Amino acid sequence: MSDPRCRCTCPGATVWVTGRPLADRLAAAYALAERLLAQARRVAVLDRYDDLCADAARLGVVAEVLARNGLVVIVPCAAEGLDAVRARHEASGTRYVEVSVTGRTSPEESASAVWGRLVAHD
């Protein structure tokens, strides 16, 4: 049994960044990561999981476990197959936000769209 004193109390979350093209998703993910790091938050950007991106459910498991342990996990991946990801986060009570870069004028605008939602829930 785990010791309750060792549990992370940091507010983690998964931020799924969707839209085309990949370069826009990556730019938005890193713009958001910079903001969070400036606030001394623990952040992971899952951008090197090409094989996992083909299976959103598997990538969602990685993101949810990290988020449940206090990291803000940013996933710049397509929107296909997100039903399982949403369901897993909901079942565990882990915060989950989706943002689309489609129609945004800059990565900073996409980052701002998520920023307020994350900060409001802290």
Side-chain angles (χ1 to χ4, degrees):
M1 181 150 252
S2 65
D3 184 344
R5 295 171 294 168
C6 296
R7 292 191 184 143
C8 181
T9 59
C10 305
T14 296
V15 179
W16 205 279
V17 182
T18 65
R20 303 257 185 245
L22 175 60
D24 290 349
R25 294 192 310 254
L26 286 171
Y30 281 102
L32 178 60
E34 287 179 20
R35 283 186 178 202
L36 292 165
L37 288 169
Q39 298 290 317
R41 297 292 297 269
R42 296 170 52 209
V43 179
V45 178
L46 302 183
D47 72 339
R48 305 216 191 285
Y49 287 82
D50 295 335
D51 291 338
L52 290 176
C53 246
D55 184 355
R58 286 194 316 168
L59 185 55
V61 169
V62 173
E64 189 270 331
V65 169
L66 292 171
R68 194 168 11 109
N69 284 282
L71 276 75
V72 176
V73 183
I74 306 167
V75 186
C77 200
E80 292 80 21
L82 288 184
D83 291 338
V85 175
R86 288 184 203 109
R88 179 178 179 91
H89 282 75
E90 185 176 327
S92 70
T94 305
R95 292 189 309 162
Y96 176 79
V97 177
E98 287 177 28
V99 63
S100 175
V101 297
T102 303
R104 309 250 185 223
T105 59
S106 70
E108 291 76 20
E109 183 183 345
S110 296
S112 292
V114 177
W115 181 255
R117 293 173 69 185
L118 286 175
V119 175
H121 290 95
D122 283 351

